[in-house]
Amino acid sequence: MDPECARLLPALCAVLADPRQPVADDTCLEKLLDWFKAVTEAGSSLLLLQEHPCLVELLFHVLKPQDLSSRILSFALRLAGIFAAQENCFQFLQQGELLPGLFGEPGPLGAAAWAAPSVRSGWIQGLHSLAQHPSALRFLADSGAVDTIFSLQGDPSLFVASAAGQLLVRVLDLALRGPAEGRVCPQAWDWPACARKVVCHLEDCLRSEATPRVTQALHVLTTTFGHCRGLWTQGLWARLSPLVARLLEKDPVPAPHALVDLLLGVARSPVLSSDPGLWETAAQALSRLSPTQAGPLAAGILKLQDCPQALRIQAFSILLQPLAHVLEATAQAPGTPRLLEGAAGDLMAVDTFPPSRSACVGLLCSALAHLELLQPLPQRPSPWPQAPLLAAVVTILRFCNGSAAPSSEAGGRLCAMLVGCVRVQRAALDFLGVLSQGLGPQELVTQVFAILLEYLVSPDSSPTVLKKAFQATLRWLLSSATPPGCCDLEPYAQLVLGELLAVLQKRLCSPCWEVRDSGLEFLTQMTRHWGGQGSFRQALLGSEVPELTRQLLQDPESYVRASAVAAVGQLSSWGLLTAPSSPEHPAVPQKTPLEELLLVLTTDSEGFPRRAVMRVFTEWLRDGYADVAEDPEQSVAPVLRAASRDLDWEVRVQGLELALVFLEQLLGPRGPSTAAPPGALTQALQALCRVQLFEFAFRSLFDCDRPVAQKSCDLLLFLKAKATPSGSQQEVGDGPNVASVEAALRRWQAGEQGQPLGELAPEAVLAVLRSMDLEALRDTLAESSDHVERSPQSLLQDMLATVGVLGDNEADCY
Amino acid sequence: LKLYRKRHPTLPCNVLKFKSTTIMLDCGLDMTSTLNFLPLPLVQSPRLSNLPGWSLKDGNAFLDKTELIDLSTVDVILISNYHCMMALPYITEHTGFMGTVYATEPTVQIGRLLMEELVNFIERVPKAQSASLWKNKDIQRLLPSPLKDAVEVSTWRRCYTMQEVNSALSKIQLVGYSQKIELFGAVQVTPLSSGYALGSSNWIIQSHYEKVSYVSGSSLLTTHPQPMDQASLKNSDVLILTGLTQIPTANPDSMVGEFCSNLALTVRNGGNVLVPCYPSGVIYDLLECLYQYIDSAGLSSIPFYFISPVANSSLEFSQIFAEWLCHNKQTKVYLPEPPFPHAELIQTNKLKHYPSIHGDFSNDFRQPCVVFTGHPSLRFGDVVHFMELWGKSSLNTVIFTEPDFSYLEALAPYQPLAMKCIYCPIDTRLNFIQVSKLLKEVQPLHVVCPEQYTQPPPAQSHRMDLMVDCQPPAMSYRRAEVLALPFKRRYEKIEIMPELADSLVPMEIKPGISLATVSAVLHTKDNKHVLQPPPRPAQPTGGKKRKRASDDIPDCKVLKPLLSGSIPVDQFVQTLEKHGFSDIKVEDTAKGHIVLLQEAETLIQIEEDSTHIICDDDEVLRVRLRDLVLKFLQKF
């Protein structure tokens, strides 16, 4: 602890102990505890208490019957726990009878303060901290705290109840870890009394008819097996697993979600997953739980690295069931693809689908989401039923838009439940997109594109559904490139393209800005992939899409303008924006895309479009887009000028990024390379001076937004490295120019806006660069802006300041 | 209580017979038969007159009604909205109808505008001659399809005249929402806001003990009219449900979005947009949407034209019916601001309106533009001119927003057509999801609706969600079918005069239930029933007079007391034994018991509502037994 903190500590303790002093907010106390925790982890707690008796006094003070606020009481309990985590300090506090006073019967437990949830929470957290050593275990057993913890499991405050469960896990771990260390599987009679007590309590709970008690026990066990890896967990599971299995025999199964969590936790534990009984229980759970409840368990099982194949098949069929049901509902002929063959398929009667709309929708959505997560995993079930899955998703989407014809009464019910359901549509479109990773029979792919087009065309598609439909379409278009990796579109996809562009045209005119926005994003992505491809170019240039995109640069919604900027950037970099001038005004020459984007950068009132413009310019410069590549200096200069004056810090950062790309093109790429040849360097510096980069960069060094300053620092460091290779120090005399620049920099650093630098000579720039300690500046900037405010000293000062102990008031006391 | 059904469900015309009154519910005019005729061009069109297979000879004719009932017996007509009164002149003017028509003020005013527009459209292109011979069945058979398949052409009528319109409208009595109107003292009718159009109403028809709700053309969407009053529909015995949306799969919000997108796309490419529409209704909402959209879509410089003989009145009327508007628009009036933003569009010259394409319009006309004009059937009105003018260019678009006509049939005589056609039917009336919510909320005992609503649409037979779903299942009826409504009238309210009531002495027969006998004269007049005290028995002054008095009033004899209660057989037998009867046998019968006194050869038949003592001419015994029976009964 630094001396300043040590000096402030007694005053702070006095403030905390004084019920008349209003203590700063809870976050201060939390920070204080964090600090004490860090201090005790770094050194001896005992020493700390001995050096600062005010701390022990504070704890003793709390014991006195008085009107202390509950938050101070809670704080003291947690603080005592932190100190007592070290065994010698624990004994030190025990000697003073402090711990029984705080955590035992005489303490807050019996007092009125116990009614405050924060006190109960503090009590639990204090015990949780101190439960680190055998002495603590004895203390817990002797003080009767374990019974209190049991009762707190049902506390009305969820935080308290949950913390009580965690504490039980801690107690179990502490009790069993020690004696059982190294032994294969300790038997129950070897367990310490405290552990036996906890385990008996858990057994009682598992046998209970009250679902909340069962849930509590399951939560405790889940945490135990999730966090504790000791061999003793085997013994515990062996003893409790029959009770868990018995829960599955009840009807209805109590606490299904907690049960699923427990089974998955056990299955994931490296110590327990070898137990064959576990897989039997899991299989039983899969068959006993309802499809909705079993879904997460099935998905969890399928994600496991290794588990019995039969169980995996069973789990997979649980996830496939709802989709298989959908397929059944429309199956016209027996030849249609089935998702579940044989016994698994027959298991599922058509009526197993939940009767209520929300339950049915929930089941379908979760099945789709689980399958979506499973698809890309290496351990996904094999063979993966790609074709029936595709057929099922297409059918779901058809049910949702009312175009599917059900073949049974159950199908009719399903149709009525799914029509217009946005949730299912979104989930199905997401999954459909993921399915594009695998191939499917041509006939099905045709159906996929057909349903996607239906969704894109339909006026009833909500904006979010439409966005998902665009995303899925893009994924399918990408996957249909033949051969994979080649950027040409398949003939069928080319046919689709014409219709897509017609839809896009209409969507770009939608009154709903989200729709226009996702349409533009889709266009940008498509152009990025196929901008150079003949049939795409032809189709696009034949449509009104490029012209509409250009018009959307004036959209009232800033997000749309930003997307339009990106789209215009992408279109014009492929030469797709050479739209003919309008037939009505043939004389008026159209602005070039470069000019148009510059106009957005200088005039748009919102940040998003301006940021987008900067990204486009950076991309253009990096990729050597024709208009920019012709004369980069001419193109970059006005952009940098505009960016340097921008009020949005992200635009300024982007401006510096653009400058960096420009620099790289002049001087070679970044990295531990050698210096640029002197001739090139001089030319480059002249060019940089002409585009007035230095004024921008130097000014940005003192920008009030740290990322801008950091970026500028990086830029100048890069330039410095290029200009002065390590070892050689070229001296350029300190001309008057240098002095004025340095003076200007000092003024800027002091926060004055000051005069512009004016014309700069390359030599002067180099001199200034050399004289500046940019490395030190970079290190300063790398520290978070509140590093001063976050120091413990500052915390203590703040807390004291709020109650007015510091400074002048101190003198007034006497 | 009977319901007669005519016409199709969105243009309802039902007749309800209820408590001796005959009430016609709406009289919509189905104009789809006009699609069988050629368009009436404002200028002679060589193309139209030379079309093969089309007859231009006959003018205009509309479907009228079949003779299911004698319309002169209709007592009142209740109108629910201005679209549902277009057949009114046919009914009030030529059928001997003598009754009253009830409607709200906006319904009448806007209904008048619609009729005026219709008459104007037809009359401004007069026909030199009109043919009717073809209606002869033998000739009709020879005509090309679809004319030869048209049904009941003999009932098609010429369009009415302005005189007939005025005469018909003069029979309307204006009513306000929640106003109670007594019909002959028998029933009370009340209009309620239905949320569909300015002044549109649902009707409650109730007596003291029965309540029938007539729900026609209602909307739960937030558009310009006052929201629908659902609460007042509760506790109905019967709810007659008509006028649901014609396009249940088209969500009005999506359609408006579609409308705007297509409009912008066309105009941005230099094309013109034609919107065939009625002069009132959805057009107000469309103009409001466009008001918000055009600036954001960069269409501020595009002129909007609204061409109709009643355009001006329609736009102005909408602004003055503040009390009939939704809350939002009502509050604007107090600011004061015009409730509809089309006022601002007119002020800023973005929206211009003209009575017809002649005159000012031809001077101001600038392209590209958006034109709203009638008639949505594309058979008459200024829209015919624009179809001819713009049909050849693929830059232009016609956007159909009115759901009443099949757009493909409407377009038929204009083929081949280069112009783009977009179908965005905007129908804000209730869809089936809303209906099921409404019925859950209102909980009528019985729902009665046209047959079409009880099954999915024929084109989408799998869409079980597109039908009325309620418990108990809705009773359906077809065109020209008579349906007996599923409840019997059981009670009638009768008033008792105060002096008569004073004289009653109620006796409590069960806790909470008291009875009293009443002797009175029932007086019935104008469907009101009153119990009056009976006249005092006239003093017997002379034989002649007395006789006359007994003619006038019922003879008031001394009344025997009324009996109530039941006879416990066991106790009765004990009592008989106590009184010396022996050899008693009791037999159970289906209705009660028979007590046999074998010795006395007497039989006492005890049933729920009667007791008979059958003995062999022994009056003394009978009276003794009677008195014993009476001991068990209460008298009053």
Side-chain angles (χ1 to χ4, degrees), chain A residues 11-82:
Chain A
L12 182 76
C13 287
V15 168
L16 292 175
D18 187 350
R20 289 164 307 168
Q21 296 281 13
V23 184
D25 59 311
D26 282 346
T27 44
C28 282
L29 295 176
E30 289 292 332
K31 283 180 189 168
L32 207 56
L33 284 170
D34 285 347
W35 176 56
F36 275 117
K37 203 166 178 201
V39 169
T40 54
E41 276 167 3
S44 160
S45 306
L46 185 59
L47 214 59
L48 182 73
L49 292 190
Q50 283 165 346
E51 280 173 6
H52 302 283
C54 60
L55 290 170
V56 183
E57 280 164 25
L58 173 65
L59 295 179
F60 270 112
H61 185 80
V62 169
L63 287 183
K64 294 178 193 156
Q66 60 192 314
D67 203 11
L68 259 188
S69 77
S70 58
R71 58 165 76 157
I72 293 295
L73 194 53
S74 170
F75 169 78
L77 288 165
R78 292 168 67 187
L79 189 62
I82 289 172

Side-chain angles (χ1 to χ4, degrees), chain A residues 401-406 412 415-416 419 457 459-460 505-511 516 544 548 551-552 555-556 584, chain B residues 249-251 254-258 260-262 264-265 268-270 293 295-297 367-368 395 420 460 462-465:
Chain A
N401 75 358
S403 65
C415 176
V419 158
V457 171
D460 288 326
Q505 244 163 251
K506 195 180 73 182
R507 293 302 186 187
L508 292 183
C509 296
S510 167
R516 299 196 296 274
E544 285 140 17
L548 284 171
Q551 287 177 9
L552 286 175
D555 199 275
E584 284 171 23
Chain B
T249 49
N251 170 3
S254 321
M255 286 301 139
V256 169
E258 193 76 356
C260 290
S261 307
N262 284 298
L265 190 60
R268 278 182 177 166
N269 288 320
Y293 177 64
D295 285 332
S296 71
Q367 302 192 70
L395 281 179
K420 285 195 281 288
Q460 290 162 301
H462 63 282
R463 293 290 298 270
M464 305 301 281
D465 55 321

Side-chain angles (χ1 to χ4, degrees), chain B residues 613-615 618-628:
Chain B
I613 300 168
I614 304 162
C615 56
D618 186 348
E619 184 61 12
V620 180
L621 177 66
R622 190 191 72 80
V623 171
R624 241 181 94 201
L625 286 174
R626 183 199 72 185
D627 291 342
L628 285 177

Side-chain angles (χ1 to χ4, degrees), chain A residues 175-176 179-180 183 185-193 195-196 239:
Chain A
L176 291 172
R183 275 199 266 157
C185 186
Q187 295 304 309
W189 51 84
D190 289 345
W191 291 349
R196 281 204 301 275
R239 177 159 168 179

Side-chain angles (χ1 to χ4, degrees), chain B residues 80-81 104 107 175-179 190-204 214-221 223-233 323-327 330 430 438:
Chain B
S80 51
N81 61 65
T104 60
T107 301
V175 289
Y177 287 150
S178 303
Q179 184 182 334
T190 313
L192 304 172
S193 172
S194 78
Y196 167 56
L198 271 178
S200 68
S201 18
N202 292 322
W203 290 86
I204 290 182
Y214 173 61
V215 173
S216 163
S218 303
S219 177
L220 291 170
L221 300 180
T223 55
H224 60 271
Q226 238 188 61
M228 178 177 177
D229 178 356
Q230 295 184 61
S232 308
L233 298 172
E323 56 171 305
W324 306 88
L325 292 172
C326 63
H327 178 73
Q330 277 191 23
L430 296 176
L438 174 74

Side-chain angles (χ1 to χ4, degrees), chain B residues 41-234:
Chain B
L42 287 176
V43 286
Q44 191 62 24
S45 161
R47 193 187 70 82
L48 284 179
S49 43
N50 292 329
L51 279 179
W54 288 86
S55 132
L56 195 64
K57 284 283 168 58
D58 203 346
N60 27 73
F62 303 121
L63 189 69
D64 200 358
K65 66 220 90 18
T66 49
E67 296 304 324
L68 184 64
I69 59 163
D70 181 1
L71 291 177
S72 65
T73 63
V74 171
D75 298 313
V76 291
I77 302 180
L78 307 180
I79 304 291
S80 51
N81 61 65
Y82 44 79
H83 286 297
C84 293
M85 61 181 280
M86 296 298 282
L88 198 60
Y90 290 120
I91 294 170
T92 57
E93 301 313 300
H94 303 293
T95 60
F97 171 77
M98 303 281 283
T100 316
V101 184
Y102 291 99
T104 60
E105 189 183 357
T107 301
V108 177
Q109 296 300 350
I110 297 173
R112 177 195 295 277
L113 294 182
L114 291 181
M115 292 180 181
E116 210 175 292
E117 189 196 61
L118 183 65
V119 172
N120 189 310
F121 280 159
I122 302 292
E123 286 183 352
R124 73 187 182 192
V125 278
K127 291 279 136 206
Q129 60 198 84
S130 82
S132 54
L133 263 182
W134 64 274
K135 291 181 185 173
N136 185 318
K137 280 221 164 70
D138 293 332
I139 299 176
Q140 195 201 348
R141 245 184 329 116
L142 306 173
L143 293 177
S145 186
L147 265 188
K148 81 174 169 196
D149 306 320
V151 286
E152 294 174 354
V153 285
S154 57
T155 63
W156 294 8
R157 296 281 182 273
R158 289 183 64 90
C159 180
Y160 37 71
T161 64
M162 211 50 222
Q163 269 169 333
E164 289 169 320
V165 170
N166 287 330
S167 164
L169 295 182
S170 70
K171 297 186 173 71
I172 298 183
Q173 193 164 328
L174 298 183
V175 289
Y177 287 150
S178 303
Q179 184 182 334
K180 294 184 165 64
I181 303 133
E182 286 276 328
L183 300 183
F184 320 111
V187 292
Q188 197 181 53
V189 294
T190 313
L192 304 172
S193 172
S194 78
Y196 167 56
L198 271 178
S200 68
S201 18
N202 292 322
W203 290 86
I204 290 182
I205 303 139
Q206 60 187 342
S207 64
H208 292 297
Y209 294 102
E210 297 92 11
K211 177 170 172 180
V212 178
S213 297
Y214 173 61
V215 173
S216 163
S218 303
S219 177
L220 291 170
L221 300 180
T222 314
T223 55
H224 60 271
Q226 238 188 61
M228 178 177 177
D229 178 356
Q230 295 184 61
S232 308
L233 298 172
K234 284 186 182 169

